[in-house]
Amino acid sequence: MITVSNLKKSFDAVDALKGISFNIAQGECYGLLGPNGAGKTTTISILSTIINPNEGEVKIAGYDLKKNPLDCKKNIGVVTQEIALYNELSAYDNLLFWGGLYKVPRQELSEHIDETLGLLGLTERKNDKVKTYSGGMKRRINIASALLHKPKILFMDEPTVGIDPQSRNLIFEVVEKLHEEGMTIIYTTHYMEEAERLCDRVGIIDNGEIIAQGTLNELKNSGSMKESVVISYTNLTDECYQTIEKEWKDLRRFEDTIHFYSMNIQGDLSKLILMCNEFGLDMRHIDIQKINLETIFLNLTGKQLRDK
Ligand SMILES: Nc1ncnc2c1ncn2[C@@H]1O[C@H](COP(=O)(O)OP(=O)(O)OP(=O)(O)O)[C@@H](O)[C@H]1O
Ligand SMILES: [Mg+2]
């Protein structure tokens, strides 16, 4: 449904995109996960024909973005990172305006507006001016405005930043519903738990490059990362550690704490507890470190996703 090859974009001295490529199948929800300044919005802006790339090819719904930008545009809805609404107008009138821009016929438009207002839980407030809305409600109207022309593809650029938990949950449910109904979605975020929950596949983007992509399971298995059981002891001696080292080859010690790396946490946990008893060790704390997108990102880049 979407093919992006070797996309490059520079702003003066900044290489915002250094040649990114990815393919998205019809009906897939693809997450672009990366920290501030990674190039997420630049990618979305190019794909939505807002800015031109310096190099690269993009195909959307079978159309070449350079040759047939209008055909591409008809197929996509865009939820921009910056909310664009008229504060003095009601939600309904804002949607009339946006629908008009997409040239949705009037009768169809009022049906679609009612439908999207319902989907986003805003029917009761539809006649109130947008200036009376909370940030989360504005965000929901922003999403509604992207759906009025019934696009096959939806781009959502960090749709949950800075909003209340209730709106955030509602947005998750809307994304899940649209996904179930077969919409192809690109969802950018720097919240790994959102990508984990919503996306079939994830591209991890950093400094204008996609540094890894795949399903969560593929990403977990692609690196050399292993889950670990982390145990802190009250009475760990050097002598005792040397004995443990003989029993358990893959481990690291940090003072009173040992990281036991494991390919099978469930099975190994009981062995570790038995070993503790056997050696007369007293546990102060036990923790299981799972592999998730956050740890994968940390492993690939040496930095936290949410570093500003
Ligand atoms: N119009 C512009 N002029 C100059 N530099 C820009 C412009 N737009 C983006 N950049 C730069 O390009 C890089 C990528 O920016 P982009 O907005 O795509 O990042 P992002 O991943 O969306 O970040 P965020 O999570 O903060 O939204 C950054 O270094 C940014 O400063
Ligand atoms: Mg952005």
Side-chain angles (χ1 to χ4, degrees):
M1 196 66 157
I2 302 172
T3 317
V4 174
S5 344
N6 196 29
L7 207 57
K8 293 188 184 169
K9 178 73 183 176
S10 307
F11 297 103
D12 304 321
V14 182
D15 290 331
L17 295 180
K18 298 172 185 163
I20 64 163
S21 304
F22 55 86
N23 293 325
I24 302 174
Q26 186 169 354
E28 195 172 28
C29 183
Y30 183 84
L32 257 188
L33 180 73
N36 291 121
K40 303 182 294 296
T41 299
T42 306
T43 306
I44 297 293
S45 303
I46 293 172
L47 266 50
S48 13
T49 74
I50 295 165
I51 59 173
N52 290 320
N54 299 116
E55 257 182 67
E57 304 283 317
V58 177
K59 275 208 164 142
I60 292 178
Y63 296 104
D64 185 287
L65 189 74
K66 230 181 277 169
K67 293 184 198 137
N68 309 94
L70 284 180
D71 291 311
C72 289
K73 233 173 152 170
K74 272 185 211 152
N75 284 290
I76 58 180
V78 187
V79 181
T80 50
Q81 191 169 6
E82 303 297 331
I83 300 179
L85 294 171
Y86 292 100
N87 277 319
E88 292 298 327
L89 295 183
S90 68
Y92 194 90
D93 289 342
N94 264 284
L95 293 179
L96 267 185
F97 170 78
W98 283 106
L101 281 190
Y102 276 106
K103 303 199 168 46
V104 182
R106 188 63 191 234
Q107 178 57 35
E108 228 170 276
L109 181 56
S110 55
E111 282 165 23
H112 292 184
I113 291 178
D114 287 340
E115 214 177 292
T116 50
L117 282 169
L119 178 70
L120 287 137
L122 290 165
T123 305
E124 280 173 20
R125 297 286 306 270
K126 69 177 183 182
N127 293 319
D128 296 347
K129 284 187 181 177
V130 164
K131 69 177 178 192
T132 67
Y133 277 28
S134 70
M137 291 166 76
K138 285 184 188 167
R139 180 64 76 184
R140 286 190 259 155
I141 286 291
N142 207 36
I143 296 173
S145 72
L147 295 171
L148 295 173
H149 59 299
K150 301 249 166 187
K152 293 194 194 110
I153 300 170
L154 186 64
F155 300 150
M156 303 183 90
D157 196 2
E158 305 211 40
T160 61
V161 168
I163 63 171
D164 57 286
Q166 202 190 343
S167 290
R168 192 164 178 244
N169 269 329
L170 195 135
I171 290 174
F172 290 161
E173 282 164 21
V174 168
V175 175
E176 281 165 344
K177 184 160 188 284
L178 294 169
H179 184 25
E180 261 170 43
E181 290 170 359
M183 181 90 84
T184 306
I185 302 169
I186 300 185
Y187 188 101
T188 86
T189 182
H190 57 258
Y191 296 119
M192 61 103 189
E193 63 276 14
E194 292 190 2
E196 276 182 8
R197 170 167 170 179
L198 301 172
C199 302
D200 302 313
R201 252 176 349 116
V202 175
I204 299 182
I205 182 167
D206 188 36
N207 281 325
E209 287 176 294
I210 292 188
I211 52 177
Q213 65 183 321
T215 63
L216 188 59
N217 270 334
E218 283 166 357
L219 288 169
K220 279 183 184 174
N221 297 325
S222 62
S224 53
M225 296 179 67
K226 288 179 203 151
E227 297 183 333
S228 61
V229 180
V230 182
I231 307 180
S232 301
Y233 302 96
T234 57
N235 57 348
L236 181 67
T237 59
D238 290 349
E239 216 177 353
C240 190
Y241 181 70
Q242 280 155 18
T243 322
I244 293 175
E245 246 183 335
K246 283 184 196 128
E247 300 251 334
W248 207 282
K249 298 278 180 272
D250 201 0
L251 79 183
R252 267 180 89 183
R253 180 183 177 182
F254 301 89
E255 297 178 3
D256 290 337
T257 302
I258 304 179
H259 288 233
F260 296 93
Y261 297 101
S262 163
M263 301 302 277
N264 170 19
I265 295 265
Q266 228 59 335
D268 285 343
L269 202 53
S270 48
K271 278 190 219 160
L272 283 166
I273 292 168
L274 281 176
M275 194 167 75
C276 240
N277 291 339
E278 201 182 312
F279 296 148
L281 280 167
D282 181 30
M283 282 194 278
R284 185 159 39 85
H285 187 74
I286 181 160
D287 195 16
I288 293 173
Q289 284 190 352
K290 292 235 163 219
I291 303 172
N292 56 31
L293 287 173
E294 193 90 50
T295 49
I296 292 169
F297 187 80
L298 184 68
N299 189 49
L300 287 167
T301 64
K303 63 186 186 200
Q304 300 282 345
L305 254 177
R306 267 170 254 178
D307 262 349
K308 297 268 162 163

